[in-house]
Structures are given as C-alpha cells and as structure tokens.
Amino acid sequence: GIETVSITCLPNIQPRLVAVSKTKPPEMVMVAYQHGQRNFGENYVQELLDKASDPKILSSCPEIKWHFIGHLQKNNVNKLMGVPNIFMVETVDSVKLADRVNSSWQKQRLSAQRLKVMVQINTSGEDSKQTWLGPSEAVSMVQHIVSQCPALEFIGLMTIGQYGHDLSEGPNPDFQMLLSKRREVCDTLKLPLDKVELSMGMSMDFEHAIEVGSTNVRVGSTIFGERAYPSTPSPEKKIKPAKKSIMILE
Ligand SMILES: *Cc1c(COP(=O)(O)O)cnc(C)c1O
C-alpha cells in the first residue's frame, strides 16, 4: 500500500543533530567535530565539565555547542553553568530548578546572552527516575520560565520516553504526547508553534521522531558505537578479566 506521512504539522526548523558523547573520549568528539558536527550532548555534569574543559577540545573545537541532557540536581547547577561553551540545558523539570539555573547564569555569565533551556516532560507517566514533571504541569512550567526567568531563553520541550516502542503498533505515544503538549503550551501562552522546538528521538527512533516533527534528535550509540559502562558489566565482560589474568600468569 501507499504510506502517507502528514507533513503539515512539521515546524519550519531544520532538525538539529546532537551527538551524545557520554562515556566516549574527547578524541572521538574531536573527530566528529572535524567532520562538521557542532552540537554534542552529555548527561553527567562532571563528565561534561571534564570533556568541555579538555585543552585539546578547547583549542581544536572553538565552535562546539554542549547540550546538557541528563538529570540535573540543584547542587550541580553552578558547576554546569561554568562549563565552557555550554549551549543548552534540555532537562529543566521544576520551577525551583529553573530559578536556580536562572540566578546562577545571571551571576556567572559575563555575556548578556540568555541560556537556552528546554522543559523536560515525563510523557510516559511511568514511575521514572528521569523527571517528575507530568504533562499537566508543562504549561505552568513554561509560563514560569518565560515570565520569571529573564536569564533563560525558552527553546522547547524535551522527552526521553519509553524505550523500545514497537512502531508496528503505531506512532510512539510519547512523541504524540509531546506534540500535543506543545500545542497546548502555544495556545495557552500565545507562542508561535514554529518557535517551540521538540527534543525527541535517540539512536533507535530518531527517524520516526523527525517524521512526526522532532527538531532536535539526541543520537549516541549509532554515531559513537555501543557504550561500555564499567559499573554495570555484562556477563561477557565479567569473564574477560579472568582470561586476562590467566594470560598474565602464563
Ligand atoms: C544516552 C542518551 C541519549 C542517546 O542514546 P542512544 O540510544 O545511544 O542514541 C539520548 N538522550 C538521553 C537523555 C541520553 O541519556
């Protein structure tokens, strides 16, 4: 049959690729940068600070734009605001956090530029570590940033969403939820729809996300390869050190 994709809802914004470099070394960031990539994402404040302050990155990637995409704790805000070339914080999920980011940016920033922020929404309604901001609070959250946080520039809405949605069952409901939240935010606060971005889509689903209107996809493993987390070794990795020690004994 013929598949029809409605493009009427697509905003007039070229989707931005955020290359998620978490757990990957600065060298990989530099290679991607040399190939023209400018936006990079990290989800731990300390790792972002280390990578963004790396002398090699500072000297060879002057136009780099760092996105913070992890859960942000209030006691880490000052540290995050001090990250060189911090470009956007995608994970503002409470009024208190917005206030803290606003005042920290006002104090630390030398330039008059506002900091770009997105409001992260828990679209799946799952008991989630990611964020507690439910869809019903999206409008008041955005209103607070727009009216009470002069150092912040509201850019759009962000969701992580449920992992591994089966597209044969229809469009990802998390993405649909974010789309309808944007409409509600724009209608209520009289914001132009094409000025409010949507950050959704990762390695497994960024194409679908763009088809339904994402303006900002966050892609890690498809670009940089699978991540190895030392804290959660897979069974294979538990075996490897044993083999190695046997080899050393030999
Ligand atoms: C790690 C991460 C990504 C990238 O995930 P991949 O599946 O490797 O593309 C995107 N968004 C957030 C918030 C992440 O933490």
Side-chain angles (χ1 to χ4, degrees), residues 218-233:
R218 313 175 307 264
V219 180
S221 43
T222 294
I223 297 173
F224 295 111
E226 291 299 319
R227 288 176 295 273
Y229 289 103
S231 50
T232 53

Side-chain angles (χ1 to χ4, degrees), residues 20 22 43 69 158 160 202-203 218-222 227:
V20 179
K22 62 190 184 196
N43 69 340
I69 60 171
M158 179 270 203
I160 295 179
M202 315 201 289
S203 285
R218 313 175 307 264
V219 180
S221 43
T222 294
R227 288 176 295 273

Side-chain angles (χ1 to χ4, degrees), residues 26-47:
E27 286 71 20
M28 289 181 108
V29 172
M30 289 160 62
V31 171
Y33 185 95
Q34 280 154 18
H35 284 82
Q37 181 63 25
R38 290 294 178 267
N39 291 273
F40 291 85
E42 290 281 339
N43 69 340
Y44 288 105
V45 173
Q46 188 60 49
E47 184 179 355

